[in-house]
Amino acid sequence: MKTYILNLPSALERRNFQAQQAERLGLDALFIDAQTPADIPDAFFQAHAFSWERPIKITEVACFMSHHQVWQKIADSLEPALVLEDDAILAHNTPALLQWLCQCEGVDHVSLETRRRQKLLGRRFQAPAGLNARLHPLLQDRTGAAAYVLWPSGARVLLAKFEQQGMGLADAFISSTYQLQSWQTVPAFAIQADVASAYGVACPIAPHSLIAREKVPSPPTRSSLHDLQLKCRRLRGQMRLAVRYLGCFWRARRQFVGIDPQQF
């Protein structure tokens, strides 16, 4: 399975870490230059800055479009691929999981990540032989786009949603796409550097988020009416989350997804 690693050209420490991790795990890795605010034309930014439930910062637009370019590559291929942000720390047994996932059918997206927030998981599961892990339907998530496997069918769903609705925060955009046949590994096979210490994992790189570190203001709304429209959109989004939960809770449970410390 091919692995796409999103990396800012200036983030050399992270690139070196990911190169070492890929070599250690035997991943077929390809680095993709993540987009920066300088890569986003102003007209494009203005056209998409207000397509989500709140104004999107230009750094967030760049992050989304970095994922978008990988989705396009996967949609044009015939096989699933692992997508990593450059601060993702993978479990040692990830290669065995990827080998098993290559054989799965009827799947669009698998989240490998956990981030100290509960997820709504289906009660049924699949258990890959020899992995001491399970794969549960991921019915509702809130964060996490640092480590996931995406199939061409799932990539096409995400690209179509972007064309119809515009962009959003990358992780929220994925997790709110309920058309995807999404699954979650339990335990998780990936964490981000900024939460490594919370899981008792040694962090090999600077743990701060490069997006969060850049103090970029949100674009101002155009008027009080525009601000009200965004608030209504946010309210509809929250209602959609509630409807999703009520429609799934009888066959699911909300839980924290842990890790296997021995694999990190």
Side-chain angles (χ1 to χ4, degrees), residues 65-250:
M65 294 309 298
S66 298
H67 283 268
H68 182 277
Q69 64 181 329
V70 174
W71 298 345
Q72 189 64 67
K73 291 180 181 295
I74 297 173
D76 293 338
S77 72
L78 299 175
E79 299 176 342
L82 174 62
V83 183
L84 299 176
E85 294 182 349
D86 60 7
D87 59 346
I89 303 172
L90 297 176
H92 302 319
N93 56 346
T94 299
L97 172 72
L98 299 181
Q99 184 176 5
W100 181 78
L101 288 176
C102 281
Q103 306 168 21
C104 290
E105 297 180 354
V107 180
D108 294 325
H109 164 263
V110 172
S111 171
L112 275 59
E113 182 183 1
T114 188
R115 195 173 171 78
R116 303 181 67 193
R117 295 191 68 174
Q118 290 184 325
K119 299 171 183 262
L120 186 66
L121 303 182
R123 296 181 185 276
R124 63 188 178 94
F125 62 86
Q126 302 181 52
L131 269 178
N132 193 29
R134 298 183 299 186
L135 204 64
H136 286 260
L138 179 57
L139 302 175
Q140 193 172 74
D141 199 0
R142 303 296 288 273
T143 57
Y148 58 94
V149 176
L150 189 65
W151 275 252
S153 57
R156 288 190 287 270
V157 168
L158 293 173
L159 291 171
K161 179 180 177 179
F162 169 70
E163 291 297 327
Q164 295 167 6
Q165 302 180 20
M167 69 174 62
L169 307 183
D171 52 359
F173 186 92
I174 295 172
S175 63
S176 64
T177 307
Y178 296 139
Q179 303 96 308
L180 291 174
Q181 294 297 317
S182 290
W183 296 73
Q184 170 71 46
T185 62
V186 180
F189 281 68
I191 54 175
Q192 283 185 279
D194 64 341
V195 296
S197 61
Y199 287 96
V201 175
C203 185
I205 56 176
H208 54 257
S209 166
L210 295 181
I211 293 179
R213 189 177 64 176
E214 293 194 39
K215 303 301 182 183
V216 177
S218 298
T221 53
R222 304 183 185 104
S223 64
S224 57
L225 177 59
H226 188 207
D227 187 54
L228 179 60
Q229 290 172 336
L230 288 176
K231 290 180 179 178
C232 289
R233 188 183 298 166
R234 174 69 173 173
L235 179 60
R236 287 196 300 269
Q238 293 300 307
M239 291 177 63
R240 189 164 177 260
L241 287 173
V243 170
R244 174 68 171 181
Y245 175 76
L246 292 174
C248 297
F249 81 94
W250 58 273

Side-chain angles (χ1 to χ4, degrees), residues 49-60:
F50 302 100
S51 58
W52 192 241
E53 297 169 4
R54 64 159 174 81
I56 307 175
K57 299 177 182 179
I58 194 167
T59 50
E60 295 167 334

